[in-house]
Amino acid sequence: MTETNEQDMDRADRAPGQTEASGRRYILSAHAFSAPPLEPALYIVSTPIGNLGDITIRALETLAGASLIACEDTRVTGTLVQRFGLKAPLMPYHEHNADKQRPKILDLLSRGEPVALVSDAGTPLISDPGYRLVRDVVEAGHKVIPIPGASALLAGLVGAGLPSDTVLFAGFLPQKGGPKTARLKELGNIPATLVFYESPRRVGATLATMAEVLGGGREAAVARELTKRFETFERGTLESLAETFSGDAPKGEIVILIGPPGEQAPADAADAEVLLRLALETMPVSAAAKSVAKETGLDRNELYKQALEIKAGAESGT
Ligand code: SAM
């Protein structure tokens, strides 16, 4: 890194592919540093999830040297670009224009230009756009270079106090009750810590559903506002966390983490009834009995009879 002591924070609106050596620089604490030239590739660049101090030197060098920065929202990335005195032009790349923009990125790469992809915050492709672009770039024979950094997934995981040897990142759950329950059932018995992103508006209801479907005693944590001023971790059982978040929606961004299934107490009739009622919301009686039998080890014929009673009760309104 060469310090050149430039103090200007202006942004040139150069066209893609016109990076000059003098433009390949970034500014930290009013000091300008020149960045080395980049080899042609698609660079997947992680950016901070709240605390700007989490930007890496390599991310700055890459963003400074790229001919184009593809980003979700040019206003959000514009703030970052401004903050670090970067000059590369920005191009919006999000789920609604990706098909139109991808050929432009491939064209730049085929002309030997380095292109960076960022998301609004954190690591691109992690519940953010970019997967199809990476696939197409690889298929076209170009290089993809990840520039790792912040992600709410890893920050939440390492602070949660839950086992971290086997981890399943499940992103956002479906919002509607039936599909949400079905997805949780799919994931519930996997021997891994589960990591979910969730909106603050839904966190209370989601924790309640998780407690109902996975069992209230399961160890979990809720990470909020990671890397920011009001960062907090709430740790406890799913039941206690559902209670903690049962009131007004909390402020800020949320990650929910659930520890692996432990030694489960044998299911009793009351557990079976809860599971049967949930299963009956999305499947017929025999399938519900089969699914709950598999989950609990209880007798399928007994569960079938119990499911028929629940269904008859529901239909008669009792
Ligand atoms: N690509 C990002 C990453 O690497 O973490 C995630 C993008 S996803 C669209 C946004 C979700 O990530 C938020 O709704 C929240 O669940 C989680 N998230 C992002 N920043 C966070 C933060 N500072 N604290 C807690 N959760 C965060």
Side-chain angles (χ1 to χ4, degrees), residues 7 76 103 141 208 239 286 290 294 314:
Q7 303 238 340
V76 174
E239 193 174 16
S286 63
K290 188 176 169 193
K294 197 169 160 209

Side-chain angles (χ1 to χ4, degrees), residues 223-243:
R224 193 174 68 83
E225 291 289 82
L226 289 159
T227 78
K228 303 185 204 175
R229 184 160 170 222
F230 296 108
E231 175 180 282
T232 51
F233 281 90
E234 300 285 343
R235 303 177 182 88
T237 60
L238 277 175
E239 193 174 16
S240 70
L241 289 170
E243 173 63 29

